[in-house]
Amino acid sequence: MLFMESYLCYCSVRLGVLLVAVLRIIINITLSVLFFVHGVHIFDGLIDLLENDSQYKNSNMVRKSIHWVHNSPDNVLVFLQCMCYAHKISALLGIFGAIRLHKWLVIPLALFEFVYFLGITIAHIVLMIMLKKQINLGLLIVLTLVGSFYCLFAGYNCVTCIAMFQVISLVKSPKYRQLYGEDPFHPIPLRRSHGSYDSVQQLHMLGVPDDTDIDEQKRLAKLGLWPSRKPQVISVIPVQTPAVSLKWWQQQALDKDDQLQDSAVLRNWQRGELLKGAAGEAERKNALNRRYAEAQQYGFRYKSRERF
């Protein structure tokens, strides 16, 4: 599995390696110029911090390093310059390897980036331990956060170089060449061939619901060749019962019953009192017609539900 598929801001891993190499060349040229101009005096501030710190001034490694800087400044400068030039050469090899897809030319840059990551992390931890007794808390927090992010960035650059080695190994593999062609910069898209066979064997596979190769589906989706599956449409429309055809006298009974309920004249009368009054006969007929119409409607709805 690849360590990463893209660099910062969705750049490709190949472009990420080129950016890391260019950045490393710029940093090493700057350090080389500083060593030429200031010499070993550039370490005077760090040496003062180490000698005045009670925790590190008696360390055997620290005492040997300070003694080497004071007694052999020329050897220190030669060693540092060699490291800078070696790092620049590895960066150039990484650029050439990323452009021409030679995986073994990326390994030196990955090794130097790993060593640089370890060195910058150890130096940051030691420096923060020494500075915590000499600066205020706010500045210490800011320096810790900035240094931590830079250490993470250095480690990220190292992982980018390793991921480029994995990518080149993948595109140079026989299986990749069999599926996508010999040219990794112009891969052959997977298409269905209709009886014609090219010089490069293509994969006769079409995106169907039975496919389980998730990586292949992602690759086809990026190329726009993965067919969009149409979702199954299930009708959820409720069953609508047709209206019951009523006789005119049944519909009139229902309308009169609604008018009777909403009438402003008869609102103070009870239902039973109206049926016993002078209009009782007509009201009784309307009530019978209304009950008959409601029974017809209920029976029709019940039969329709049984049918469905």
Side-chain angles (χ1 to χ4, degrees):
M1 170 135 345
L2 298 177
F3 283 167
M4 62 176 63
E5 296 181 1
S6 61
Y7 192 63
L8 296 175
C9 303
Y10 297 99
C11 298
S12 63
V13 178
R14 182 165 171 258
L15 180 58
V17 172
L18 297 178
L19 293 176
V20 171
V22 171
L23 178 64
R24 194 56 54 204
I25 290 174
I26 295 174
I27 292 177
N28 282 279
I29 290 176
T30 304
L31 291 176
S32 180
V33 172
L34 290 177
F35 292 147
F36 273 121
V37 173
H38 298 283
V40 294
H41 297 289
I42 195 173
F43 299 110
D44 291 343
L46 181 61
I47 292 175
D48 292 338
L49 288 175
L50 291 173
E51 289 181 344
N52 295 326
D53 189 81
S54 59
Q55 185 176 356
Y56 292 103
K57 67 180 181 180
N58 296 325
S59 175
N60 189 18
M61 184 178 297
V62 172
R63 300 311 308 175
K64 287 183 178 180
S65 299
I66 295 175
H67 180 74
W68 185 40
V69 171
H70 285 165
N71 295 334
S72 303
D74 295 335
N75 295 334
V76 173
L77 288 178
V78 170
F79 173 76
L80 293 176
Q81 292 290 352
C82 290
M83 291 296 295
C84 289
Y85 281 104
H87 206 163
K88 285 185 287 186
I89 293 174
S90 68
L92 293 175
L93 291 176
I95 292 175
F96 184 78
I99 293 176
R100 302 300 298 270
L101 295 184
H102 295 296
K103 62 180 181 179
W104 297 111
L105 297 181
V106 185
I107 291 298
L109 180 60
L111 293 177
F112 271 99
E113 289 296 321
F114 180 72
V115 173
Y116 179 77
F117 167 68
L118 290 181
I120 200 69
T121 302
I122 295 173
H124 174 66
I125 294 174
V126 173
L127 188 61
M128 291 300 103
I129 293 175
M130 291 189 299
L131 290 179
K132 71 178 182 179
K133 305 173 184 178
Q134 302 182 13
I135 60 177
N136 56 35
L137 182 60
L139 183 58
L140 179 65
I141 293 174
V142 172
L143 292 177
T144 303
L145 292 177
V146 173
S148 300
F149 278 114
Y150 184 75
C151 293
L152 290 176
F153 180 69
Y156 185 77
N157 292 336
C158 177
V159 175
T160 303
C161 298
I162 299 175
M164 188 62 201
F165 179 85
Q166 294 177 328
V167 170
I168 298 175
S169 301
L170 178 63
V171 299
K172 293 289 185 179
S173 62
K175 184 176 180 181
Y176 184 92
R177 292 182 177 182
Q178 183 181 7
L179 295 179
Y180 305 108
E182 296 292 335
D183 189 3
F185 297 105
H186 301 88
I188 300 175
L190 300 182
R191 297 175 182 174
R192 177 185 290 179
S193 59
H194 301 280
S196 62
Y197 296 91
D198 300 333
S199 59
V200 180
Q201 182 182 359
Q202 298 181 9
L203 182 63
H204 303 278
M205 182 181 68
L206 189 64
V208 294
D210 295 334
D211 292 339
T212 57
D213 193 350
I214 304 299
D215 295 334
E216 187 62 28
Q217 294 176 9
K218 290 181 180 179
R219 196 194 71 81
L220 291 175
K222 291 180 179 179
L223 294 176
L225 300 177
W226 181 252
S228 58
R229 300 175 182 175
K230 297 181 180 180
Q232 298 180 357
V233 180
I234 302 175
S235 178
V236 293
I237 301 176
V239 178
Q240 297 180 357
T241 57
V244 182
S245 58
L246 301 177
K247 304 296 183 180
W248 65 269
W249 45 271
Q250 296 173 349
Q251 188 65 37
Q252 185 178 8
L254 293 177
D255 295 340
K256 286 185 178 181
D257 185 71
D258 295 336
Q259 292 176 3
L260 183 63
Q261 295 292 335
D262 299 334
S263 177
V265 179
L266 301 177
R267 68 176 55 180
N268 295 326
W269 296 87
Q270 297 295 328
R271 179 73 177 168
E273 294 176 348
L274 293 175
L275 292 178
K276 293 178 182 178
E281 186 67 22
E283 294 297 333
R284 280 192 293 272
K285 289 182 180 181
N286 289 333
L288 291 174
N289 292 332
R290 180 177 55 79
R291 286 197 295 270
Y292 180 77
E294 291 177 352
Q296 291 292 330
Q297 289 181 345
Y298 178 77
F300 184 81
R301 291 176 182 174
Y302 182 74
K303 290 179 181 179
S304 299
R305 291 177 183 175
E306 287 184 349
R307 184 179 304 171
F308 288 102

